[in-house]
Amino acid sequence: PSIQSYSCLPYGNTVYHMAVTLNAMANPMMAFLAFFLPCTRQNVVATLTAIGSILAAFIIATALYSPDMIHNTVEVGGTLVVLTWVVSGAMFSYVKVSIAGMCRDSGWLFHCGVLTQVGSAGGALLMFILVNQVNLFQ
């Protein structure tokens, strides 16, 4: 989310507000859904991860293109940005819970938690450097 403002604000405050709010709602809803509809097939989890990564690439592209809009109209571009944020957030939330479930079943839950925290810290540090030190995003 450190680049969420760069990705959304070229389309206005309403788009930014919708992306933040709906993404915050989609995250726990998908985690809750994963409790009732668990996914234990690795190929499905890998496919969802690949789709989420493609969506994340679009998010990064919109953030890099900021302050200009990647799409000419606010309606189309804003809708696409909000949907991309919500769907990618929901998808990664579902994948994260599914992977944790698979790790729990195999006895690797502790290691999964450690790697999740290390990855989160590494990603936060990388984005901090790119945003504040390198000034990659405008």
Side-chain angles (χ1 to χ4, degrees):
S2 64
I3 64 168
Q4 193 165 27
S5 59
Y6 295 103
S7 174
C8 296
L9 281 180
Y11 300 99
N13 289 335
T14 303
V15 169
Y16 176 70
H17 175 73
M18 293 294 286
V20 169
T21 305
L22 293 174
N23 192 23
M25 291 168 51
N27 190 347
M29 284 189 343
M30 289 305 284
F32 191 66
L33 178 68
F35 180 72
F36 294 106
L37 294 172
C39 180
T40 56
R41 295 177 48 198
Q42 290 180 1
N43 58 347
V44 173
V45 172
T47 301
L48 292 174
T49 303
I51 293 169
S53 297
I54 292 168
L55 295 173
F58 176 76
I59 289 170
I60 291 170
T62 59
L64 287 170
Y65 206 72
S66 180
D68 298 321
M69 292 187 284
I70 218 166
H71 301 283
N72 292 335
T73 63
V74 174
E75 292 80 17
V76 173
T79 302
L80 203 55
V81 167
V82 170
L83 286 175
T84 303
W85 272 104
V86 172
V87 171
S88 69
M91 200 168 294
F92 282 131
S93 178
Y94 184 80
V95 165
K96 189 168 37 172
V97 173
S98 297
I99 290 172
M102 285 188 258
C103 289
R104 182 188 63 232
D105 294 341
S106 64
W108 287 86
L109 186 59
F110 175 77
H111 301 288
C112 176
V114 168
L115 289 175
T116 299
Q117 294 302 315
V118 168
S120 179
L125 180 62
L126 175 66
M127 292 313 298
F128 176 81
I129 291 169
L130 290 176
V131 170
N132 296 315
Q133 304 301 318
V134 179
N135 293 322
L136 186 61
F137 302 98
Q138 300 294 324

